Amino acid sequence: MENVNSNTNMEEWFDAKLQKNEMIEPKDWMPENYRKHLIRQISQHAHSEIIGMLPEGNWITRAPSLRAKIVLMAKVQDEGGHGLYLYTAAETLGSSRDELLDALHTGKAKYSSIFNYPTLTWADIGAVGWLVDGAAIMNQVMLQRTSYGPYARAMVRICKEESFHQRQGYESMCHLAFGTTEQKQMAQDALNRWWWPTLMMFGPTDDKSPNTANAIKWKIKRESNDQLRQRFINQTIPQVEYLGLTVPDPDLKWNEEKKGYDFGSPNWDEFMSVIAGNGPCNRERLKARVDAHKNGEWVRAAAKAHADKTKEMEFAA
């Protein structure tokens, strides 16, 4: 931790660093609520990356071409790596990997609501890449400037890889939208089902979000849920129009005065129900994750034994 005069008020020192847009590092003093907020946010982000592998992973064996299979395998692998970076960042705040995973497996910790929806067709894989990863990028680009150093640095590589995922999804939707009538209908159906859950990804409206105020104050987030949602819609609608598709929102219209789209309200009751564990795939996703962790126990034990043996040999030498 950098030197701070003993007479200096630590809270003032912390606030001054934020005002100067300087990053907080693991050994720096930080308010306990700031630390707890970061553990919650970063761990939820990590959980989302790991759980997010599941709805796409079950399509690897059913991909329509070898190229599509290779691309999807690479994407799922990337998501696993993102989870690793983020768990590591969370550990710098004093929470162990075992604690983080236990919170996920016992249902104490949350992950993004979007991953509790099923991928019914190959078009869903395109929609997830285009819409879900597109929304994730919208949120994550600002996190490259978040106030906590390890989190910000992890996001640099994650954002680069997520941009490829978004392109992969949009490319897949292009193939379908400009393909046969049946393929275009498949693309439209996927868009219909993923549009509203994607908008919910940004979280509740600002006046209903319990964490936004502190996240903005501490510069963990640089923009609010509503700001990010609006930008996503403004950016995505032209892409929808290019594909010749339509979003399932009768209230959508261009607002010349605000230079953006007016849009309807997501079903927030559905959002809260999914968050509470009652979505279409909540139980399935959590069971798959817990089973995978249990089945991998022997691998972790073997890796630890190898590491311990290596240290023993190095010490003996």
Side-chain angles (χ1 to χ4, degrees), residues 117-132:
Y117 291 86
T119 45
L120 303 178
T121 70
W122 176 252
D124 288 43
I125 301 303
V128 168
W130 170 39
L131 298 175
V132 175

Side-chain angles (χ1 to χ4, degrees), residues 47-267:
H47 300 331
S48 298
E49 297 285 356
I50 299 300
I51 297 291
M53 300 166 69
L54 298 174
E56 295 177 307
N58 66 13
W59 275 93
I60 290 175
T61 58
R62 295 179 285 168
S65 69
L66 179 59
R67 179 180 182 275
K69 185 189 297 287
I70 292 171
V71 170
L72 186 56
M73 287 179 66
K75 179 184 178 183
V76 172
Q77 177 178 277
D78 283 348
E79 306 294 4
H82 298 172
L84 175 62
Y85 309 150
L86 292 165
Y87 283 132
T88 302
E91 286 177 309
T92 66
L93 291 157
S95 188
S96 73
R97 186 77 56 92
D98 287 341
E99 290 173 331
L100 297 172
L101 291 176
D102 182 68
L104 172 64
H105 298 160
T106 58
K108 295 178 182 177
K110 305 297 182 184
Y111 55 88
S112 180
S113 61
I114 195 73
F115 299 120
N116 290 308
Y117 291 86
T119 45
L120 303 178
T121 70
W122 176 252
D124 288 43
I125 301 303
V128 168
W130 170 39
L131 298 175
V132 175
D133 290 330
I137 292 169
M138 195 67 63
N139 187 53
Q140 292 170 1
V141 165
M142 70 167 180
L143 292 175
Q144 293 177 103
R145 298 182 292 114
T146 192
S147 60
Y148 188 59
Y151 195 17
R153 290 187 286 273
M155 293 313 305
V156 173
R157 178 166 180 172
I158 290 175
C159 284
K160 288 180 180 178
E161 293 178 348
E162 291 288 2
S163 68
F164 284 103
H165 302 171
Q166 196 269 348
R167 293 180 202 176
Q168 174 263 336
Y170 193 62
E171 177 191 71
S172 181
M173 291 297 280
C174 283
H175 285 310
L176 294 169
F178 298 120
T180 65
T181 300
E182 290 78 8
Q183 286 174 320
K184 185 168 185 176
Q185 289 174 345
M186 185 187 296
Q188 181 64 64
D189 174 65
L191 175 56
N192 290 344
R193 288 183 288 105
W194 287 94
W195 178 252
W196 291 113
T198 299
L199 296 189
M200 296 177 197
M201 276 181 67
F202 294 100
T205 55
D206 293 344
D207 60 330
K208 300 292 185 181
S209 175
N211 300 307
T212 293
N214 278 336
I216 296 294
K217 179 182 74 172
W218 289 324
K219 298 191 176 183
I220 295 172
K221 291 181 66 172
R222 300 285 179 157
E223 295 177 89
S224 71
N225 297 348
D226 288 338
Q227 289 174 313
L228 293 168
R229 191 166 16 247
Q230 181 69 64
R231 182 178 301 146
F232 172 78
I233 291 172
N234 291 347
Q235 175 180 291
T236 305
I237 293 303
Q239 298 172 350
V240 174
E241 293 173 344
Y242 174 77
L243 294 174
L245 305 176
T246 57
V247 298
D249 183 358
D251 296 324
L252 184 79
K253 63 179 179 180
W254 177 256
N255 185 321
E256 184 62 31
E257 184 176 343
K258 73 175 185 181
K259 300 297 181 183
Y261 288 91
D262 292 332
F263 56 95
S265 176
N267 184 340

Side-chain angles (χ1 to χ4, degrees), residues 254-315:
W254 177 256
N255 185 321
E256 184 62 31
E257 184 176 343
K258 73 175 185 181
K259 300 297 181 183
Y261 288 91
D262 292 332
F263 56 95
S265 176
N267 184 340
W268 292 116
D269 289 337
E270 175 185 326
F271 173 76
M272 296 307 298
S273 179
V274 174
I275 289 294
N278 300 314
C281 298
N282 286 68
R283 293 169 182 80
E284 175 186 334
R285 298 286 186 251
L286 195 55
K287 182 181 184 303
R289 179 63 206 129
V290 170
D291 288 348
H293 187 72
K294 289 180 178 178
N295 291 337
E297 185 174 358
W298 70 272
V299 178
R300 296 190 298 276
K304 184 178 184 304
H306 176 73
D308 290 344
K309 185 64 175 178
T310 300
K311 288 181 180 180
E312 182 183 321
M313 294 173 64
E314 290 175 349
F315 181 79

